[in-house]
Amino acid sequence: MRIATWNVNSVRTRIDRVTAFLQRHDVDVLALQETKCRDDQFPALPLHELGYETAHVGLDQWNGVALISRVGLDDVRTQFAPEQPLFGADAPVLEARSIGAVCGGVEVWSLYVPNGRELDHPHYHYKLAWLEQLRATAAQWLADDPGKQVALTGDWNIAPQDEDVWDMAAFEGSTHVSEPERAAFRSVLDAGFTDVVRPYTEGAYTYWDYQRLAFPKRMGMRIDFILASQALAARVNGAMIDREERKGKGASDHAPVIVDLD
DNA sequence: ATGCCTATCCTCGATAGA
């Protein structure tokens, strides 16, 4: 079975790239982030025509996450826990940042971790609270069922190690590399999850800014991850980052991340 | 060195992205 995750940065703009990607890599389950549309705007038809089921949650033009599967799509949930933090000063809202379902016996989550914006911004505290609740929830899943096969996939908006950005000096005082964010990411690993892609893609990035020729200059970041529970990690036999997908006109600023299971 | 930012909408400027 092959599972992929991709911050597509608008699914409507890039639906042709999505269908081409699914076919090019023979993908069974694809988790999308930043679909940037409402449920009624999600382009499900071309995916159904290829034999995939779809589940999507999107409230407006911001955020939005989806699961696309041809190996089953059961028990769909549009928040990882009832306690998933809300955002907004006046009227806090549950943003469309997580969707999970059981696909071919694996519980797959498409996660879009809040960006954080600035270190002193309310969004940064929201990001840390969101990650802490995800950790607590995922730890409880494994406490209830140590053999559970779970994939926490998506755009984590954290570069966990210095090698995950092209130049640490360029990120002085920025989000994505701060110690609290890195500690939050490590705490998810400590809860019983493993980055199953890194061993196969040493030194690779998953994101390159649209500006300043970042992609050809190799000024990238590794911020998209597939974390697997122990039972799932034991099935992994390969992984890759589809850097080709970042090339050309109309590319997302993120590349898809793929993992292969026995 | 696959290109000098891109997507959205209550759209021509503001907001968000990382």
Side-chain angles (χ1 to χ4, degrees):
Chain A
M1 185 158 92
R2 175 167 279 178
I3 300 174
T5 188
W6 187 14
N7 180 322
V8 71
N9 186 15
S10 172
V11 69
R12 285 178 292 171
T13 296
R14 270 177 268 286
I15 184 58
D16 290 346
R17 277 184 177 260
V18 172
T19 54
F21 169 75
L22 288 167
Q23 295 177 95
R24 184 166 75 251
H25 289 285
D26 204 25
V27 171
D28 294 302
V29 184
L30 173 60
L32 293 179
Q33 301 86 39
E34 277 209 271
T35 56
K36 291 187 168 177
C37 66
R38 298 186 308 267
D39 293 345
D40 63 286
Q41 298 173 309
F42 185 80
L45 213 57
L47 300 166
H48 294 165
E49 285 171 353
L50 290 177
Y52 292 88
E53 297 176 85
T54 62
H56 175 262
V57 56
L59 308 178
D60 49 33
Q61 74 267 41
W62 307 119
N63 314 306
V65 284
L67 287 168
I68 299 165
S69 172
R70 65 179 184 191
V71 292
L73 191 62
D74 302 315
D75 305 325
V76 175
R77 284 180 282 164
T78 55
Q79 57 187 106
F80 60 74
E83 301 85 2
Q84 181 176 317
L86 314 179
F87 184 71
D90 305 329
V93 64
L94 180 78
E95 296 186 311
R97 292 183 177 275
S98 75
I99 189 167
V102 177
C103 306
V106 179
E107 185 167 306
V108 181
W109 283 90
S110 180
L111 304 170
Y112 181 41
V113 176
N115 171 290
R117 300 183 188 168
E118 308 290 338
L119 294 180
D120 59 356
H121 196 284
H123 211 258
Y124 180 76
H125 303 288
Y126 169 53
K127 179 180 195 173
L128 294 179
W130 203 94
L131 286 161
E132 167 52 21
Q133 186 58 58
L134 176 62
R135 178 209 63 78
T137 299
Q140 190 59 50
W141 291 342
L142 298 185
D144 293 342
D145 178 6
K148 191 180 180 74
Q149 296 186 47
V150 188
L152 302 179
T153 87
D155 177 358
W156 293 74
N157 271 320
I158 299 171
Q161 301 177 21
D162 288 358
E163 68 185 43
D164 297 333
V165 297
W166 81 93
D167 178 14
M168 273 301 288
F171 287 85
E172 182 70 37
S174 299
T175 60
H176 294 65
V177 299
S178 75
E179 185 48 36
E181 289 166 282
R182 288 179 167 182
F185 187 84
R186 282 195 304 271
S187 75
V188 177
L189 299 179
D190 292 342
F193 292 86
T194 306
D195 178 349
V196 291
V197 174
R198 189 183 292 272
Y200 297 94
T201 58
E202 212 45 61
Y205 298 139
T206 66
Y207 164 87
W208 298 261
D209 198 301
Y210 283 127
Q211 304 184 58
R212 296 182 295 278
L213 287 172
F215 182 59
K217 289 182 176 173
R218 302 181 181 278
M219 293 160 58
M221 306 171 74
R222 183 196 286 260
I223 54 176
D224 301 272
F225 298 94
I226 297 176
L227 306 190
S229 64
Q230 191 172 26
L232 182 64
R235 294 178 57 194
V236 172
N237 61 31
M240 61 101 65
I241 294 165
D242 185 14
R243 194 177 179 280
E244 295 299 304
E245 180 53 51
R246 181 61 180 80
K247 296 180 179 179
K249 187 176 171 60
S252 168
D253 41 4
H254 294 252
V257 178
I258 302 171
V259 69
D260 282 312
L261 310 172
D262 283 328

